[in-house]
Amino acid sequence: MKRVVITGAGTINALGHNVPDTLQAMREGRCGIGELEFRDVDRLSIRIGGQVRGYDPEDRFNRQQLALYDRFTQFTLIAAREAISQAGLVFSGELAARAGVVLGNSGGGMTTLDENYRSVYEDGKNRVHPFVVPKLMNNAAASHVSMEFNLKGPSFTVSTACASSNHAMAQAFQMVHGGMTPVMITGGSESMLCFGGVKAWEGLRVMSKDGCRPFSANRNGMVQGEGAGIFVFEEYEHARARGAEIMAEVAGYAMSSDAADIVMPSKQGASRAIKGALADARLNLTDVGYINAHGTGTAANDKTESAAVADVFGAHADRLMISSTKSMHGHLIGGTGAVELLACIMAVRDGVIAPTIGYEELDPECALDVVPNEAREADVNVALSNAFAFGGLNAVLALKRFT
Amino acid sequence: MSSIKDRVIGIIAEQAVLDPSDVTMDSTLEDLGIDSLGLVESIFAIEEEFDISVPFNANEPEASDFDISSVASIVAGIEKLIKEQS
């Protein structure tokens, strides 16, 4: 089997419009969550989120492109440009024919849906823009990445709610690992921060009105974010031969399904995915120094996830660090695992552990080292990234320092 | 029109797939087999029925004044909200 390394990363999210700014914000424990700004926000009871700010689509795309790119596609392309430019890859000939793009996404073009429903239902119009369908389809982002970069290999979108990006990256890893292709572009994106998107989440009554405080006893729900995270997964020999800079090694993954409940998480399902990722990566429990938690800040997730980690790691659970960066960038739903993988890269490459900010009170049911409020320097060889989705679909990735 | 109590019992009975006569004031939601999703759905139905807004966050059920410990406490909470919000 081939070794798989990461040779490029890109992002745009509430913490920054690129990877260096995002990592800097994570180091500083900065919060990207604030008052939401969009039409009809006054009709919502949940009015906070991790919105991408200071962003003008017209600075990045021309009029024709914007007619086809929903916000989630725009974010994806911005992140893909950063990742692929860092990797220094140009796709042509045999490489273009084999390389593809597998992305995670849950909601598709929610802003496009929202605007067009409003136009036909509320404004009573009987005509919509001709590109509504190609703009809102979940695979639009993956398709536009394939077109912009000439990726002609296996390309598709994975949709498993909050685990979408991790499932997508696991799939891309598997393709490179198994020798199907030397390079895959992967990650994910989401942009549900519009009236209809937040209204739908509001209905479930799991959102916080005042902040995301994962693992803290006074947590009261999740806060949504938006953005994208994109990576270049490359076969090690291919990267080495062209002298590419390697950020980290993807060591393995596992997926599991709870087969139990449509919204409540399961300790067993989470444990099986964590254990499976370690087995796939041929790692020992004690190798793991950091876990980027799913850590949504809901009552149910954080205690179930803590119990699963305690269960799998036993005594080592008290020696590893686990943090939820959702406290800073919010929950990007289908794009969340991708942005969170950046924190894992920072842990194994730079020896900096991103904190769980907003942490105020110990919860005995989440009594792990959650790296409260301030980033920490630590020598970490292996990091895991957890994602446990609604619908009970779990995916955990294992990242290793490249040596 | 039936009383607030009867209308609430009707909603809870429908959620629990029981006959309203099987829902007593001292029943708990757990007794009736209503789980967290069923609770959120019942609250939605109650809000629609009475055109009120129930301050309930599934993450901290105990933090709101809305007491869900029994059918009686739910009925009392709704009577209070209707008075406040009318």
Side-chain angles (χ1 to χ4, degrees):
Chain A
M1 295 298 241
K2 315 277 190 190
R3 287 176 77 184
V4 181
V5 294
I6 301 177
T7 55
T11 190
I12 178 167
N13 65 80
L15 293 177
H17 294 190
N18 55 49
V19 171
D21 288 357
T22 301
L23 294 183
Q24 184 59 31
M26 286 183 181
R27 272 189 203 107
E28 292 169 7
R30 211 185 301 148
C31 185
I33 292 166
E35 296 285 320
L36 289 171
E37 288 170 18
F38 49 72
R39 189 173 157 186
D40 292 335
V41 72
D42 53 312
R43 286 181 55 208
L44 294 170
S45 65
I46 302 300
R47 296 182 190 171
I48 58 166
Q51 253 182 322
V52 171
R53 294 186 186 272
Y55 165 65
D56 183 356
E58 287 169 11
D59 292 343
R60 309 280 198 138
F61 304 102
N62 65 34
R63 190 184 156 278
Q64 285 78 6
Q65 290 173 318
L66 287 174
L68 281 164
Y69 300 170
D70 180 89
R71 202 167 160 89
F72 88 102
T73 298
Q74 297 169 28
F75 291 155
T76 309
L77 285 166
I78 288 166
R81 287 171 183 177
E82 184 186 7
I84 294 170
S85 138
Q86 181 189 357
L89 282 165
V90 175
F91 297 93
S92 62
E94 173 70 7
L95 179 62
R98 295 177 70 196
V101 47
V102 176
L103 301 181
N105 174 265
S106 180
M110 284 284 240
T111 310
T112 300
L113 264 178
D114 211 38
E115 285 171 355
N116 286 281
Y117 277 158
R118 191 180 263 133
S119 151
V120 293
Y121 294 147
E122 186 178 321
D123 305 337
K125 290 196 178 163
N126 273 328
R127 200 181 293 121
V128 296
H129 190 278
F131 301 159
V132 171
V133 167
K135 202 171 170 182
L136 66 77
M137 59 195 192
N138 292 53
N139 61 310
S143 296
H144 285 296
V145 170
S146 80
M147 290 183 266
E148 183 160 326
F149 297 98
N150 195 34
L151 302 161
K152 298 177 175 173
S155 299
F156 52 92
T157 296
V158 176
S159 191
T160 50
C162 316
S164 302
S165 282
N166 271 20
H167 276 108
M169 294 189 288
Q171 183 67 61
F173 165 78
Q174 188 60 44
M175 288 171 167
V176 178
H177 192 49
M180 182 194 281
T181 163
V183 177
M184 285 298 289
I185 306 304
T186 188
S189 63
E190 199 73 76
S191 180
M192 289 198 192
L193 296 178
C194 55
F195 176 73
V198 177
K199 181 54 84 181
W201 277 97
E202 215 176 81
L204 205 48
R205 294 172 186 264
V206 294
M207 307 282 286
S208 171
K209 287 182 182 177
D210 50 26
C212 181
R213 296 181 290 275
F215 304 112
S216 189
N218 64 347
R219 68 188 181 276
N220 62 1
M222 53 177 276
V223 174
Q224 247 191 83
E226 65 173 355
I230 301 290
F231 301 90
V232 177
F233 281 14
E234 187 168 357
E235 192 264 306
Y236 167 60
E237 291 298 338
H238 190 272
R240 195 178 61 101
R242 63 185 194 86
E245 189 196 325
I246 292 169
M247 303 175 81
E249 177 167 359
V250 188
Y253 73 95
M255 309 175 185
S256 70
S257 169
D258 300 341
D261 191 281
I262 197 69
V263 292
M264 291 304 283
S266 139
K267 185 177 85 168
Q268 289 76 15
S271 301
R272 286 196 295 124
I274 296 170
K275 267 188 223 154
L278 292 173
D280 183 55
R282 295 193 173 84
L283 292 165
N284 297 314
L285 295 173
T286 50
D287 295 331
V288 178
Y290 170 63
I291 299 174
N292 185 284
H294 190 55
T296 55
T298 60
N301 175 81
D302 296 2
K303 69 176 180 202
T304 308
E305 184 169 13
S306 299
V309 168
D311 227 39
V312 172
F313 289 93
H316 187 63
D318 294 327
R319 288 190 284 270
L320 56 76
M321 291 166 282
I322 175 167
S323 72
S324 170
T325 51
K326 287 186 177 76
S327 55
M328 296 182 271
H329 50 64
H331 191 338
L332 277 75
I333 316 293
T336 213
V339 170
E340 290 163 27
L341 197 68
L342 292 169
C344 293
I345 291 176
M346 184 165 81
V348 298
R349 184 191 63 179
D350 307 332
V352 177
I353 309 301
T356 304
I357 68 164
Y359 186 84
E360 291 167 1
E361 265 176 63
L362 173 77
D363 177 350
E365 287 192 281
C366 306
L368 298 168
D369 178 1
V370 300
V371 197
N373 302 318
E374 278 177 34
R376 205 180 296 164
E377 285 187 17
D379 190 30
V380 166
N381 283 311
V382 172
L384 299 184
S385 185
N386 285 348
F388 309 128
F390 271 0
L393 311 182
N394 314 303
V396 174
L397 301 176
L399 223 59
K400 216 159 68 173
R401 180 187 295 161
F402 175 73
T403 47
Chain B
M1 199 170 204
S2 50
S3 68
I4 291 171
K5 178 186 142 190
D6 290 344
R7 286 154 77 194
V8 171
I9 285 179
I11 289 168
I12 291 172
E14 195 186 349
Q15 188 68 43
V17 203
L18 290 171
D19 191 88
S21 61
D22 294 331
V23 177
T24 62
M25 288 298 266
D26 57 358
S27 313
T28 66
L29 296 178
E30 203 182 351
D31 295 338
L32 301 169
I34 295 179
D35 64 5
S36 61
L37 263 190
L39 169 62
V40 169
E41 220 185 337
S42 306
I43 288 176
F44 168 71
I46 287 165
E47 288 183 323
E48 288 285 286
E49 171 76 16
F50 299 104
D51 193 22
I52 54 171
S53 172
V54 179
F56 177 80
N57 177 339
N59 291 290
E60 42 179 8
E62 67 294 334
S64 66
D65 333 321
F66 193 69
D67 180 358
I68 53 161
S69 53
S70 68
V71 173
S73 70
I74 292 174
V75 170
I78 290 163
E79 285 171 341
K80 184 163 163 259
L81 286 170
I82 291 172
K83 208 172 287 170
E84 285 167 5
Q85 294 179 20
S86 61

